[in-house]
Amino acid sequence: MSSQPNPAPILELGRGLPGWVLRLTLLLVGCAAAVALLDDRLILIVQLILFALAVVTAAVPASPAPAMFIGVVAIVVALTPGDPLRPTVLLEIPLLHLVHIMASIAALVPRRAIIRPAALIKPARRFLFVQIAVFAIVGLAEILPTSQNSTVVELAGICAVAGLVLLAIRLLTRAK
């Protein structure tokens, strides 16, 4: 009789992507978000801060760097004069959302790990649904008049926001 325990079975999952690919993608998306602001005539120090935060976000995604990066870009976009629905703003919306998602995934996946692309399908689907909803709201904002809104439009907007909040709460608290 052998005293050796049975070896654990090996489970082959097939080919996947190395974990560092998530960080590289995060770096590229962060740099794209910083490059998108180049046409807003920012001073050099702000651009350098944005690129440094993009690098730190990719290097250490489990740190406050992703939130700082998103916050700095949002502040820069908000303080830059121009149309609120200018192309730079519309480009930053999906880029910053992607930075948020990629940083949260990269924070959980070690650099040397292997991740299967199938594991990214649900986050990608959720990203697309959120972007569709956001750009539907942007489209609605574009067609609304820019002059003084009537009381009916204001009340409809408040009711719509309250409905979205209630829907979000319901979706987050429902039993799985």
Side-chain angles (χ1 to χ4, degrees):
M1 255 198 183
S2 169
S3 64
Q4 292 179 350
N6 291 337
I10 297 175
L11 181 63
E12 288 291 329
L13 296 176
R15 301 186 60 87
L17 301 170
W20 58 265
V21 170
L22 293 173
R23 293 172 190 253
L24 177 64
T25 306
L26 180 58
L27 176 66
L28 294 175
V29 172
C31 287
V35 167
L37 294 173
L38 285 176
D39 67 338
D40 283 342
R41 297 179 199 90
L42 296 177
I43 57 175
L44 181 62
I45 189 71
V46 174
Q47 281 299 150
L48 291 176
I49 290 171
L50 287 174
F51 282 108
L53 281 172
V55 170
V56 173
T57 294
V60 193
S63 70
M68 290 174 54
F69 178 74
I70 292 168
V72 169
V73 172
I75 290 169
V76 167
V77 167
L79 294 178
T80 306
D83 182 27
L85 298 178
R86 62 188 181 276
T88 302
V89 175
L90 298 178
L91 181 61
E92 289 295 350
I93 292 170
L95 287 176
L96 292 181
H97 187 199
L98 202 52
V99 165
H100 171 69
I101 290 172
M102 293 299 299
S104 62
I105 294 172
L108 297 174
V109 178
R111 284 186 203 124
R112 294 183 183 182
I114 302 295
I115 186 166
R116 293 188 44 127
L120 301 174
I121 290 174
K122 279 191 177 183
R125 190 176 301 142
R126 193 174 306 123
F127 171 80
L128 286 175
F129 287 146
V130 168
Q131 291 305 310
I132 289 169
V134 166
F135 280 99
I137 293 169
V138 167
L140 181 63
E142 184 63 32
I143 62 172
L144 286 176
T146 57
S147 61
Q148 180 74 23
N149 290 334
S150 68
T151 306
V152 174
V153 173
E154 295 285 339
L155 288 174
I158 291 171
C159 291
V161 169
L164 288 174
V165 169
L166 291 174
L167 177 65
I169 291 170
R170 171 78 171 112
L171 290 174
L172 292 173
T173 59
R174 74 176 180 191
K176 295 185 181 199

